[in-house]
Amino acid sequence: MLYLRDLPKYEAIEQRARRYPEIDPAAVVSYLVLLRVASDVLAAIETYLARHDMSQGRFTVLALLNRNPDEPMSPSDLAARSGVTRATMTGLLDGLEREKFVRREPDQKDRRMLLVELTPRGRKMLDGIFPDYYRRIAKMMGHLTEAQKKTLVELLNQVTPGLSAMTEPLESSPK
């Protein structure tokens, strides 16, 4: 993970725009600030979770299972919802099962499939983390008013449809 610390000054971006007319300086600044904040948030979360001997991947799996703790999920569904490969999910589940935070059981409807569920130990561990975790999120976001939080969500949701611009060829891209 790249932890972006040193952002260029706006003037430097404007100079590049003279060299590369495709540059929208305000878009570049917005993008770089978004990356820096995202990097900082991820680093802070990793530090917090490490204090609980937990990785972000393992925590994500447990949090997904905790959404509806009485409804087990398939490993492939967990992989899709957490944005990792099925192979990565298998490794995460192996470790979580060794620590007795989850268990894998055959699906009663289709014995070829496995379902993953939180164990009482897994629920207890999450119950020990979540109150402090949510307090810290509230404190981190506490510098924003309620209106600013709502605006932030709206603005970030407007960025999402543009993500494909980074992966799909643009119509005017040089060949």
Side-chain angles (χ1 to χ4, degrees), residues 8-38:
K9 298 207 178 329
Y10 193 82
E11 296 77 28
I13 295 169
E14 285 181 320
Q15 286 177 347
R16 289 245 166 72
R18 288 192 282 281
R19 185 172 172 192
Y20 305 107
E22 303 84 5
I23 291 178
D24 171 354
V28 172
V29 169
S30 300
Y31 167 78
L32 291 174
V33 170
L34 175 64
L35 281 181
R36 191 196 67 223
V37 171

Side-chain angles (χ1 to χ4, degrees), residues 1 44 53 72 134 139 143 148 162:
M1 167 54 75
D53 295 319
Y134 288 124
K139 188 172 182 177
H143 295 55
Q148 289 171 326

Side-chain angles (χ1 to χ4, degrees), residues 5-6 14 17 25 30 40 54 62 74 86 88 94 101 104 122 133 136 140-141 149 151 158 160 165 171:
R5 298 296 332 136
D6 183 29
E14 285 181 320
S30 300
D40 290 348
M54 186 67 50
L62 293 173
S74 71
R86 290 159 94 172
T88 297
D94 287 347
F101 291 145
R104 291 180 266 203
Y133 176 76
R136 289 171 185 269
M140 178 179 66
M141 302 303 288
K149 291 172 194 170
T151 299
Q158 290 178 37
T160 301
E171 294 171 13

